[in-house]
Amino acid sequence: MPYTADTRRQPPSRDELRNRIPGWGADLDPADRPSVPREKHEPTGAHWDFPERQPENTPRERSLEHKFLTPVFGTTAPLHGFSGAIRRFAYRRYSEGQTPHWLLLLAGDRVDAWESHLRSLATGRPDNPVTQTGILAEPGHRPLSSRFGRNRADLKHAWMDPVMVGGPWAAAAVLAWVGARKLLTSPSRR
């Protein structure tokens, strides 16, 4: 446990680390540190062995590896909806070292984006993928010369960006068109 003194597994000794990792602990001896004359060990003012914990008013997700939440945690973006259920499942079921944990978090992120799109439809001011993606600003900001010949790392996935951003919107439009057409041509309406 990183937050308490009673750890079950003891860390390896300094000698063991020094033998295993070349160069490990090169600055352990204060005589070898160039900044030692400036290092001052002044009192920190800490009056606790374990910091006071922030109250957990609503359940927060935490890693399986941790016994409890960190003493301080964020509360500005609580989990909600189906995306929150996916994320809670990822934290409750899988370790951070497992691939399904991160894949579920990615899926939760995508579901959260669509939940936000649907909420924006309900507000009467739906998202506008054309203006919000910045595609209209591209022609005025050197779209080709800013990308090619500059060794940009994002060029590797640039070809699929329009598909990833515009694809779901196009699929939703097609589904809406097919659904509306079926409704209008259903036998009960004839």
Side-chain angles (χ1 to χ4, degrees):
M1 287 294 103
Y3 310 118
T4 58
D6 59 338
T7 55
R8 293 182 188 158
R9 194 177 78 188
Q10 294 298 321
S13 68
R14 291 179 176 181
D15 291 333
E16 183 182 344
L17 287 172
R18 193 172 286 129
N19 290 334
R20 192 173 65 192
I21 305 170
W24 185 92
D27 59 347
L28 279 180
D29 186 1
D32 294 337
R33 298 185 207 161
S35 61
V36 162
R38 294 187 176 194
E39 287 182 358
K40 296 178 182 176
H41 299 284
E42 297 178 349
T44 62
H47 57 280
W48 35 258
D49 292 328
F50 187 83
E52 183 180 342
R53 300 189 65 194
Q54 177 181 348
E56 185 181 352
N57 297 327
T58 57
R60 289 303 317 240
E61 64 282 3
R62 63 177 173 81
S63 172
L64 283 176
E65 288 86 8
H66 296 257
K67 189 175 182 180
F68 41 77
L69 278 174
T70 55
V72 179
F73 51 88
T75 58
T76 56
L79 300 182
H80 57 276
F82 186 59
S83 61
I86 293 173
R87 290 173 174 150
R88 280 189 201 96
F89 178 74
Y91 277 100
R92 190 176 54 243
R93 178 81 164 86
Y94 296 104
S95 163
E96 290 182 358
Q98 293 179 296
T99 302
H101 174 85
W102 298 106
L103 291 177
L104 282 169
L105 291 183
L106 286 171
D109 181 64
R110 293 297 83 209
V111 169
D112 188 28
W114 276 100
E115 287 175 341
S116 298
H117 296 319
L118 293 176
R119 274 196 305 273
S120 75
L121 284 175
T123 62
R125 296 184 63 191
D127 293 341
N128 185 342
V130 175
T131 58
Q132 292 175 344
T133 55
I135 194 78
L136 296 178
E138 281 288 320
H141 292 83
R142 301 177 292 120
L144 294 179
S145 63
S146 66
R147 284 182 171 77
F148 297 104
R150 297 185 183 266
N151 203 18
R152 285 176 51 164
D154 62 340
L155 279 180
K156 293 177 183 172
H157 62 78
W159 64 270
M160 71 171 91
D161 289 347
V163 175
M164 296 300 290
V165 174
W169 288 101
V174 169
L175 286 176
W177 169 258
V178 170
R181 191 170 172 194
K182 280 198 174 215
L183 279 176
L184 293 174
T185 60
S186 66
S188 62
R189 291 186 56 93
R190 291 181 188 165

